[in-house]
Protein backbone atom coordinates (compact mmCIF):
# COMPACT_ATOMS: atom_id res chain seq x y z
CA UNK A 1 0.00 0.00 0.00
CA UNK A 2 1.26 3.47 -0.89
CA UNK A 3 0.26 6.04 1.70
CA UNK A 4 0.27 9.81 1.23
CA UNK A 5 0.49 12.21 4.17
CA UNK A 6 -0.96 15.67 3.52
CA UNK A 7 0.89 18.45 5.35
CA UNK A 8 -1.29 21.57 5.59
CA UNK A 9 -1.47 25.06 6.98
CA UNK A 10 -5.17 25.09 7.82
CA UNK A 11 -6.92 28.40 8.44
CA UNK A 12 -10.06 29.05 10.46
CA UNK A 13 -12.15 28.93 7.26
CA UNK A 14 -13.51 25.39 6.66
CA UNK A 15 -14.52 26.05 3.04
CA UNK A 16 -11.03 27.27 2.19
CA UNK A 17 -9.43 24.28 3.89
CA UNK A 18 -11.73 21.88 2.04
CA UNK A 19 -10.53 23.14 -1.33
CA UNK A 20 -6.92 22.68 -0.19
CA UNK A 21 -7.56 19.08 0.84
CA UNK A 22 -9.37 18.25 -2.39
CA UNK A 23 -6.46 19.54 -4.47
CA UNK A 24 -3.90 17.68 -2.35
CA UNK A 25 -5.93 14.47 -2.49
CA UNK A 26 -5.97 14.65 -6.27
CA UNK A 27 -2.20 15.11 -6.26
CA UNK A 28 -1.79 12.13 -3.89
CA UNK A 29 -3.90 9.92 -6.15
CA UNK A 30 -1.84 10.95 -9.19
CA UNK A 31 1.20 9.88 -7.16
CA UNK A 32 -0.23 6.39 -6.73
CA UNK A 33 -1.52 6.59 -3.16
CA UNK A 34 -4.26 4.22 -2.04
CA UNK A 35 -4.33 5.56 1.52
CA UNK A 36 -4.46 9.33 2.10
CA UNK A 37 -4.08 10.92 5.53
CA UNK A 38 -4.78 14.50 6.64
CA UNK A 39 -3.68 16.31 9.84
CA UNK A 40 -5.53 17.11 13.04
CA UNK A 41 -8.27 19.79 12.80
CA UNK A 42 -8.20 19.64 9.02
CA UNK A 43 -11.37 21.71 8.73
CA UNK A 44 -10.62 24.59 11.12
CA UNK A 45 -7.62 25.60 13.19
CA UNK A 46 -8.82 28.33 15.54
CA UNK A 47 -8.28 29.39 19.13
CA UNK A 48 -11.57 31.29 19.26
CA UNK A 49 -14.48 29.29 20.62
CA UNK A 50 -16.86 31.99 19.41
CA UNK A 51 -15.56 31.60 15.86
CA UNK A 52 -15.71 27.80 16.11
CA UNK A 53 -19.33 27.98 17.22
CA UNK A 54 -20.07 29.97 14.10
CA UNK A 55 -18.37 27.70 11.57
CA UNK A 56 -18.32 24.15 12.99
CA UNK A 57 -21.19 21.72 12.43
CA UNK A 58 -22.55 18.50 13.85
CA UNK A 59 -21.15 15.42 12.12
CA UNK A 60 -24.37 14.72 10.25
CA UNK A 61 -24.38 18.25 8.79
CA UNK A 62 -20.67 18.78 8.25
CA UNK A 63 -19.95 19.88 4.65
CA UNK A 64 -16.24 19.00 4.87
CA UNK A 65 -17.00 15.44 5.91
CA UNK A 66 -19.67 15.02 3.24
CA UNK A 67 -17.45 16.42 0.48
CA UNK A 68 -14.42 14.34 1.43
CA UNK A 69 -16.48 11.17 1.62
CA UNK A 70 -17.44 11.92 -1.98
CA UNK A 71 -13.79 12.55 -2.90
CA UNK A 72 -12.70 9.24 -1.37
CA UNK A 73 -15.37 7.45 -3.40
CA UNK A 74 -14.55 9.36 -6.59
CA UNK A 75 -10.84 8.55 -6.32
CA UNK A 76 -11.38 5.03 -4.93
CA UNK A 77 -8.98 5.50 -2.00
CA UNK A 78 -8.96 5.02 1.75
CA UNK A 79 -9.01 8.37 3.54
CA UNK A 80 -7.97 9.02 7.12
CA UNK A 81 -9.35 12.41 8.13
CA UNK A 82 -6.85 13.15 10.88
CA UNK A 83 -9.57 15.01 12.70
CA UNK A 84 -12.39 17.46 12.25
CA UNK A 85 -13.68 19.78 14.91
CA UNK A 86 -17.38 18.90 15.15
CA UNK A 87 -20.21 20.05 17.37
CA UNK A 88 -21.73 17.59 19.83
CA UNK A 89 -25.08 17.39 21.54
CA UNK A 90 -23.48 17.68 24.99
CA UNK A 91 -25.17 20.12 27.33
CA UNK A 92 -21.92 22.00 28.00
CA UNK A 93 -21.57 22.82 24.29
CA UNK A 94 -18.06 21.44 23.89
CA UNK A 95 -16.87 20.12 20.54
CA UNK A 96 -15.35 16.75 19.65
CA UNK A 97 -11.91 16.40 18.05
CA UNK A 98 -12.93 13.46 15.85
CA UNK A 99 -10.95 11.28 13.46
CA UNK A 100 -12.69 9.45 10.60
CA UNK A 101 -11.60 6.50 8.49
CA UNK A 102 -13.43 6.52 5.15
CA UNK A 103 -13.50 3.62 2.70
CA UNK A 104 -13.01 3.77 -1.09
CA UNK A 105 -16.82 3.58 -1.29
CA UNK A 106 -17.12 6.77 0.75
CA UNK A 107 -18.41 5.03 3.88
CA UNK A 108 -17.31 5.97 7.40
CA UNK A 109 -15.81 2.73 8.72
CA UNK A 110 -14.43 4.05 12.04
CA UNK A 111 -14.51 7.12 14.27
CA UNK A 112 -12.23 8.10 17.13
CA UNK A 113 -12.59 11.04 19.52
CA UNK A 114 -9.30 12.34 20.93
CA UNK A 115 -8.93 11.06 24.49
CA UNK A 116 -6.15 13.20 25.95
CA UNK A 117 -6.68 16.97 26.09
CA UNK A 118 -3.78 19.40 25.60
CA UNK A 119 -4.08 21.43 28.81
CA UNK A 120 -0.55 22.81 29.23
CA UNK A 121 1.56 25.88 29.78
CA UNK A 122 4.39 25.44 27.28
CA UNK A 123 5.71 28.92 28.12
CA UNK A 124 4.11 31.85 29.96
CA UNK A 125 3.13 33.19 26.52
CA UNK A 126 1.97 29.85 25.06
CA UNK A 127 -0.84 28.25 27.07
CA UNK A 128 -3.49 25.80 25.89
CA UNK A 129 -6.70 24.58 27.52
CA UNK A 130 -8.09 22.18 24.94
CA UNK A 131 -10.59 20.77 27.43
CA UNK A 132 -12.32 24.18 27.64
CA UNK A 133 -13.58 23.76 24.09
CA UNK A 134 -13.37 20.00 23.44
CA UNK A 135 -14.69 17.12 25.47
CA UNK A 136 -12.39 14.09 25.70
CA UNK A 137 -13.24 10.80 24.11
CA UNK A 138 -13.50 7.63 26.16
CA UNK A 139 -12.91 4.75 23.73
CA UNK A 140 -9.78 3.45 22.00
CA UNK A 141 -10.33 2.29 18.42
CA UNK A 142 -8.66 -0.25 16.12
CA UNK A 143 -10.12 -0.16 12.61
CA UNK A 144 -9.88 -3.18 10.33
CA UNK A 145 -9.14 -2.66 6.63
CA UNK A 146 -8.13 -5.08 3.86
CA UNK A 147 -4.54 -3.79 3.99
CA UNK A 148 -3.92 -3.33 7.74
CA UNK A 149 -5.42 -2.88 11.17
CA UNK A 150 -5.22 0.78 12.15
CA UNK A 151 -4.94 2.11 15.69
CA UNK A 152 -6.36 5.64 15.78
CA UNK A 153 -4.84 8.39 17.97
CA UNK A 154 -4.51 12.18 17.72
CA UNK A 155 -1.65 14.55 18.59
CA UNK A 156 -1.29 14.83 22.40
CA UNK A 157 -2.26 11.15 22.68
CA UNK A 158 1.30 10.40 21.54
CA UNK A 159 2.56 11.17 25.06
CA UNK A 160 0.58 8.27 26.53
CA UNK A 161 2.36 5.02 25.63
CA UNK A 162 -0.19 2.77 27.34
CA UNK A 163 -2.82 3.79 24.77
CA UNK A 164 -0.61 2.80 21.85
CA UNK A 165 0.44 -0.44 23.54
CA UNK A 166 -3.22 -1.34 24.06
CA UNK A 167 -3.93 -0.64 20.38
CA UNK A 168 -1.01 -2.82 19.28
CA UNK A 169 -2.03 -5.65 21.59
CA UNK A 170 -5.52 -5.42 20.10
CA UNK A 171 -4.13 -6.01 16.62
CA UNK A 172 -3.03 -2.62 15.28
CA UNK A 173 -0.25 -2.72 12.70
CA UNK A 174 -0.38 0.99 11.84
CA UNK A 175 -0.78 3.79 14.37
CA UNK A 176 -2.09 7.11 13.08
CA UNK A 177 -1.00 10.25 14.96
CA UNK A 178 -2.32 13.26 13.01
CA UNK A 179 -1.28 16.44 14.77
CA UNK A 180 -1.22 20.20 15.10
CA UNK A 181 1.88 20.12 17.28
CA UNK A 182 3.16 23.19 19.08
CA UNK A 183 6.38 24.48 17.48
CA UNK A 184 8.19 24.58 20.83
CA UNK A 185 7.25 21.06 21.91
CA UNK A 186 7.68 19.79 18.35
CA UNK A 187 11.32 20.87 18.24
CA UNK A 188 11.93 19.21 21.58
CA UNK A 189 9.90 16.01 21.43
CA UNK A 190 8.09 15.21 18.14
CA UNK A 191 10.60 12.86 16.54
CA UNK A 192 11.53 11.13 19.80
CA UNK A 193 7.93 10.47 20.79
CA UNK A 194 6.90 9.04 17.43
CA UNK A 195 9.97 6.83 17.17
CA UNK A 196 9.38 5.56 20.69
CA UNK A 197 5.75 4.64 19.96
CA UNK A 198 6.86 2.71 16.85
CA UNK A 199 9.66 0.86 18.65
CA UNK A 200 7.52 -0.04 21.68
CA UNK A 201 4.69 -1.44 19.59
CA UNK A 202 6.36 -2.75 16.43
CA UNK A 203 3.89 -0.67 14.42
CA UNK A 204 4.23 1.72 11.53
CA UNK A 205 3.50 5.23 12.78
CA UNK A 206 1.93 7.66 10.30
CA UNK A 207 1.78 11.25 11.56
CA UNK A 208 0.42 13.85 9.10
CA UNK A 209 0.88 17.33 10.58
CA UNK A 210 -0.17 20.93 10.42
CA UNK A 211 2.68 23.33 9.66
CA UNK A 212 3.59 27.01 9.69
CA UNK A 213 1.72 30.09 10.88
CA UNK A 214 -2.05 29.69 10.70
CA UNK A 215 -3.92 32.89 9.87
CA UNK A 216 -6.99 33.59 11.98
CA UNK A 217 -9.87 35.97 11.30
CA UNK A 218 -10.65 35.99 15.03
CA UNK A 219 -8.30 35.33 17.94
CA UNK A 220 -4.53 34.89 17.84
CA UNK A 221 -2.66 33.14 15.04
CA UNK A 222 -0.88 29.92 15.89
CA UNK A 223 2.36 28.28 14.77
CA UNK A 224 2.72 24.54 14.32
CA UNK A 225 5.79 22.37 13.82
CA UNK A 226 5.16 20.40 10.63
CA UNK A 227 7.52 17.48 9.96
CA UNK A 228 4.85 14.97 8.99
CA UNK A 229 6.58 11.72 9.82
CA UNK A 230 6.52 8.05 8.88
CA UNK A 231 8.33 5.71 11.26
CA UNK A 232 8.93 2.02 10.57
CA UNK A 233 8.27 -0.70 13.19
CA UNK A 234 12.01 -0.95 13.93
CA UNK A 235 12.19 2.79 14.57
CA UNK A 236 13.68 4.12 11.33
CA UNK A 237 12.29 7.42 10.04
CA UNK A 238 11.16 6.59 6.51
CA UNK A 239 9.89 10.06 5.60
CA UNK A 240 10.03 13.56 7.07
CA UNK A 241 8.07 16.29 5.29
CA UNK A 242 10.02 19.20 6.76
CA UNK A 243 8.11 22.42 7.26
CA UNK A 244 6.53 23.21 3.89
CA UNK A 245 2.97 22.19 2.98
CA UNK A 246 2.83 19.28 0.55
CA UNK A 247 2.32 15.56 -0.03
CA UNK A 248 4.70 12.95 1.36
CA UNK A 249 4.59 9.36 0.07
CA UNK A 250 5.63 6.07 1.64
CA UNK A 251 5.25 2.46 0.53
CA UNK A 252 4.17 0.31 3.48
CA UNK A 253 5.41 -3.28 3.76
CA UNK A 254 3.36 -4.85 6.55
CA UNK A 255 5.79 -7.77 6.79
CA UNK A 256 8.05 -5.33 8.63
CA UNK A 257 5.58 -5.37 11.54
CA UNK A 258 5.86 -9.12 12.05
CA UNK A 259 9.61 -8.96 11.54
CA UNK A 260 10.14 -6.30 14.23
CA UNK A 261 7.88 -8.09 16.71
CA UNK A 262 9.67 -11.39 16.14
CA UNK A 263 13.06 -9.79 16.81
CA UNK A 264 11.88 -8.13 20.04
CA UNK A 265 8.55 -9.65 21.16
CA UNK A 266 8.01 -7.18 24.00
CA UNK A 267 4.24 -7.09 23.45
CA UNK A 268 4.15 -10.65 24.85
CA UNK A 269 6.39 -9.93 27.85
CA UNK A 270 4.09 -7.91 30.13
CA UNK A 271 4.27 -8.83 33.79
CA UNK A 272 2.17 -7.81 36.75
CA UNK A 273 3.97 -5.90 39.48
CA UNK A 274 3.23 -4.28 42.78
CA UNK A 275 2.91 -0.51 42.95
CA UNK A 276 5.66 1.64 44.46
Amino acid sequence: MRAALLQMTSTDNPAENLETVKAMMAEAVRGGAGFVLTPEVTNCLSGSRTHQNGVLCHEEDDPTLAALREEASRHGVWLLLGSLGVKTHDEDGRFANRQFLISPQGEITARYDKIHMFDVEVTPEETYRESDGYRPGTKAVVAETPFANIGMTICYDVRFPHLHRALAKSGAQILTVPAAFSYVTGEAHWHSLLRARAIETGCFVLAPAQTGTHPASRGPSRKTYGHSLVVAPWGEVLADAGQEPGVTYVDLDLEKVAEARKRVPSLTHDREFDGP
Side-chain angles (χ1 to χ4, degrees):
M1 172 64 74
R2 169 164 282 194
L5 281 62
L6 309 188
Q7 182 155 287
M8 300 173 58
T9 306
S10 289
T11 70
D12 62 2
N13 183 330
E16 183 178 281
N17 297 326
L18 172 58
E19 293 307 310
T20 298
V21 175
K22 289 167 66 175
M24 295 179 82
M25 275 188 72
E27 178 182 342
V29 171
R30 288 194 297 271
F35 183 30
V36 180
L37 302 91
T38 76
E40 183 182 22
V41 289
T42 291
N43 60 335
C44 178
L45 200 157
S46 170
S48 168
R49 189 170 181 182
T50 300
H51 179 75
Q52 290 170 317
N53 265 317
V55 300
L56 297 184
C57 303
H58 292 93
E59 176 184 323
E60 57 270 25
D61 302 318
D62 190 277
T64 298
L65 178 60
L68 292 179
R69 288 179 64 183
E70 290 182 6
E71 289 297 290
S73 177
R74 185 167 71 87
H75 291 299
V77 297
W78 286 90
L79 174 63
L80 191 286
L81 275 176
S83 80
L84 301 179
V86 295
K87 289 181 175 177
T88 70
H89 297 285
D90 291 5
E91 289 184 2
D92 63 11
R94 287 190 293 175
F95 312 112
N97 192 343
R98 183 168 296 163
Q99 186 172 140
F100 297 90
L101 182 65
I102 299 169
S103 75
Q105 292 74 43
E107 299 299 320
I108 299 171
T109 64
R111 298 169 177 82
Y112 165 71
D113 286 0
K114 185 178 180 180
I115 291 173
H116 300 98
M117 297 289 99
F118 193 49
D119 292 348
V120 304
E121 183 178 314
V122 178
T123 69
E125 296 77 30
E126 188 176 359
T127 299
Y128 301 93
R129 288 286 305 172
E130 187 176 16
S131 63
D132 285 350
Y134 289 87
R135 59 130 170 90
T138 59
K139 182 176 177 57
V141 176
V142 176
E144 296 183 5
T145 76
F147 63 92
N149 295 331
I150 298 171
M152 302 168 76
T153 79
I154 299 172
C155 200
Y156 189 51
D157 285 333
V158 76
R159 293 183 182 271
F160 299 86
H162 54 280
L163 170 60
H164 299 79
R165 187 172 188 83
L167 293 170
K169 293 188 77 168
S170 295
Q173 299 158 295
I174 294 172
L175 300 173
T176 57
V177 192
F181 228 70
S182 153
Y183 195 91
V184 173
T185 59
E187 275 196 316
H189 302 145
W190 176 246
H191 288 75
S192 297
L193 286 166
L194 291 169
R195 291 191 66 209
R197 298 297 83 82
I199 293 165
E200 292 162 353
T201 62
C203 288
F204 280 97
V205 172
L206 305 184
Q210 296 280 357
T211 191
T213 301
H214 302 265
S217 57
R218 299 185 66 170
S221 62
R222 180 174 165 189
K223 187 175 183 181
T224 54
Y225 183 61
H227 291 278
S228 296
L229 218 63
V230 179
V231 187
W234 195 244
E236 314 98 305
V237 174
L238 300 182
D240 183 333
Q243 294 185 318
E244 294 300 318
V247 181
T248 297
Y249 300 94
V250 64
D251 293 313
L252 302 175
D253 178 1
L254 271 297
E255 291 184 6
K256 297 295 183 183
V257 174
E259 181 182 308
R261 292 177 180 177
K262 182 178 180 181
R263 294 172 74 181
V264 181
S266 61
L267 289 176
T268 68
H269 289 166
D270 289 291
R271 293 183 58 84
E272 298 296 326
F273 53 85
D274 295 331

